[in-house]
Amino acid sequence: MKKNKIFVACDSTSVSKVKRIMNLTQNSEIKIGYKFGLEFLNSKKGRNFILNLKNKIIFGDYKLADIPNTCVSTIKAIRDLKFDYITIHISSGLEALKAAKKVSKKTKLVGVTILTSLDNKGLKEIGFNKDVKKLVFHQAKLAKKAKLDAIVCSAQEIKIVKKIFKKEIITPGIRFSSKNNDQKRILSPKQAFKNGSDWLVIGRPITKGNIKKNIKTLIDHLNK
Ligand code: C5P
C-alpha cells in the first residue's frame, strides 16, 4: 500500500532542535518530508544547514508575496538549496505566478491560497468580501492558469480545489488533538487524506512535547 505523506514543519531558529525533529520523526509507516518556514530560513545557521542536507524531501516555505521581478530574483537566489517545493502566495497575481513558474525549473512551485489561520471574519477585516471557499476556488483557477505544480489550502477546501486543479494538494491546519493554536480552518489527518490531500503539513502537534509519542499518536489515529 502507498504510504501517507506528511511534511513536518520544522519551525524553530535552532539547528539542533531541527535535527532532533528530523531524527525523531523518522518512521517506517509514513513518508516524511521537511518544511522550512520563514523562522528557520531566516535564522543564522538555517540556510547552510539546508544547503548540506542530502536525500531528503525538502520544502522551502518562502510564501513569496511580491512583484514579479522580486519573486523571480528570489527563486534564482535560492536555487543552490535545491528545494523540492517552494511556495508563493497566489495573491501575488497571475503575472508574478507565471514569471516565477518560468524560473522555478525542477523545484515544484506551490501556490498558497487563503491562509488556514483566517476565517470569514478575518477575511472581512482585511477587506475581502467573498467567503473563504469562493476565494479559494477563484485562486485555484489562477494556479491552474499559471501552471503551478501544487496548491496549499485547508483540507476543508480540497473538494472545491479538486474541481479545477488536478495536481498536488498540500494541506496545513491539521489537528489530531484538541489544541487549535492560531489555526482556524482545521481538519484531522484521517479526514484530510480521505478528502484527497496528497501531503499534510503538520507542525506543533508533532514538534511540541514528546515528538516520538506524537508520531505514534498520529500513526494510531491514521490506522484507526
Ligand atoms: O504548527 P502548525 O501545524 O500549525 O504548522 C503549520 C505550518 O504550515 C506552519 O509552518 C505554517 O507556517 C504553515 N502554513 C499554514 N497555513 C498555510 C500555509 C502554511 O499553517 N496556509
Side-chain angles (χ1 to χ4, degrees), residues 10-188:
C10 301
D11 292 330
S12 171
T13 53
S14 152
V15 166
S16 57
K17 166 86 191 193
V18 166
K19 276 187 187 161
R20 236 176 86 76
I21 294 173
M22 295 178 81
N23 285 332
L24 295 176
T25 51
Q26 275 177 25
N27 71 90
S28 56
E29 300 211 18
I30 305 169
K31 181 167 176 177
I32 301 274
Y34 302 94
K35 185 182 86 69
F36 303 102
L38 294 174
E39 185 178 349
F40 190 68
L41 293 168
N42 287 298
S43 67
K44 239 184 198 165
K45 298 182 178 161
R47 191 185 203 286
N48 207 45
F49 176 77
I50 294 168
L51 185 64
N52 290 309
L53 284 175
K54 286 195 180 76
N55 304 319
K56 302 267 186 283
I57 303 170
I58 55 171
F59 182 135
D61 196 6
Y62 287 88
K63 293 213 178 67
L64 299 173
D66 219 312
I67 60 170
N69 184 61
T70 305
C71 290
V72 165
S73 37
T74 305
I75 291 171
K76 286 183 181 166
I78 57 173
R79 209 168 261 161
D80 60 322
L81 296 176
K82 298 193 171 73
F83 280 110
D84 297 287
Y85 296 78
I86 54 168
T87 50
I88 183 167
H89 273 287
I90 294 177
S91 59
S92 303
L94 188 56
E95 201 188 316
L97 300 177
K98 281 183 172 169
K101 178 62 192 157
K102 256 193 190 157
V103 294
S104 57
K105 298 195 172 167
K106 274 192 191 160
T107 299
K108 289 185 177 172
L109 188 63
V110 186
V112 178
T113 60
I114 303 297
L115 294 171
T116 44
S117 56
L118 289 167
D119 54 13
N120 280 326
K121 181 171 167 272
L123 271 185
K124 266 213 168 125
E125 272 167 5
I126 53 171
F128 291 112
N129 289 321
K130 270 191 187 170
D131 81 5
V132 174
K133 291 197 161 62
K134 282 202 177 119
L135 261 179
V136 171
F137 181 67
H138 188 89
Q139 292 186 324
K141 282 198 243 171
L142 273 196
K144 187 184 174 186
K145 252 192 192 160
K147 299 194 167 68
L148 300 191
D149 303 289
I151 271 191
V152 164
C153 64
S154 156
Q156 296 181 7
E157 289 122 33
I158 295 169
K159 285 181 185 157
I160 296 170
V161 169
K162 272 186 178 289
K163 279 189 197 165
I164 184 90
F165 189 84
K166 308 291 178 195
K167 297 195 226 166
E168 276 177 277
I169 298 185
I170 303 171
T171 55
I174 300 295
R175 290 296 180 267
F176 51 98
S177 67
S178 56
K179 260 200 182 156
N180 290 5
N181 310 107
D182 48 2
Q183 299 283 15
K184 296 274 165 37
R185 298 183 346 269
I186 61 167
L187 214 61
S188 74

